[in-house]
Structure formats: structure tokens, C-alpha cells
Amino acid sequence: MKRCSHPGCSWQSIAPSGDAALEQFAEHLVESHSKTVDVDIPEGMVQIRLHEDDEWVTTTFEEAQKLHDWSQDE
């Protein structure tokens, strides 16, 4: 099971496997916690920022996941 760590968000996955939970989580993040920006992002890349006042970082989804998990462990 995967849970969203955004403050005040109680979303959690209901999935038959870890891969399916990760896919649900990615869809949840896009639908609930992302914003559309007017910028060219290369195919297969995403932009994230870990804290409200941080700079945006362009990276792969996998690296974004690692950065997000790392920031939650701080």
C-alpha cells in the first residue's frame, strides 16, 4: 500500500501489487498535487520541487520518486 505524504492528504492506494500502487500514486500526484506550467520539459522527464520555496528540478520520474522519499525521511 502507498500513502500520500502531502500535508492534509489522506489518499492511499488500493492495489494488487507494488507496481500497481506506484502507478495509482503517480496518477494521484498528477491529479491532486500538480500544476500546469508553461515550460518545455523533455519527453520522459518531470519537474518537481520538494518544498514551497525550492527551485524546480527537471528529472526522471524514478529520480523524482527517490528525491521525494528522501525528503520525507529528513
Side-chain angles (χ1 to χ4, degrees), residues 13-32:
S13 66
I14 300 174
S17 69
D19 287 342
L22 185 58
E23 186 174 327
Q24 287 180 3
F25 180 57
E27 290 172 4
H28 164 73
L29 288 176
V30 169
E31 292 173 5
S32 300

Side-chain angles (χ1 to χ4, degrees), residues 9-70:
C9 184
S10 60
W11 181 91
Q12 64 185 24
S13 66
I14 300 174
S17 69
D19 287 342
L22 185 58
E23 186 174 327
Q24 287 180 3
F25 180 57
E27 290 172 4
H28 164 73
L29 288 176
V30 169
E31 292 173 5
S32 300
H33 302 296
S34 66
K35 298 176 185 173
T36 302
V37 295
D38 185 22
V39 68
D40 290 325
I41 301 171
E43 182 79 24
M45 304 292 275
V46 296
Q47 280 198 325
I48 64 166
R49 64 180 181 182
L50 301 174
H51 304 287
E52 191 69 30
D53 56 347
D54 285 353
E55 293 286 324
W56 286 96
V57 176
T58 302
T59 186
T60 64
F61 176 78
E62 293 78 16
E63 187 64 25
Q65 179 77 34
K66 290 176 188 174
L67 289 169
H68 176 265
D69 291 346
W70 172 80

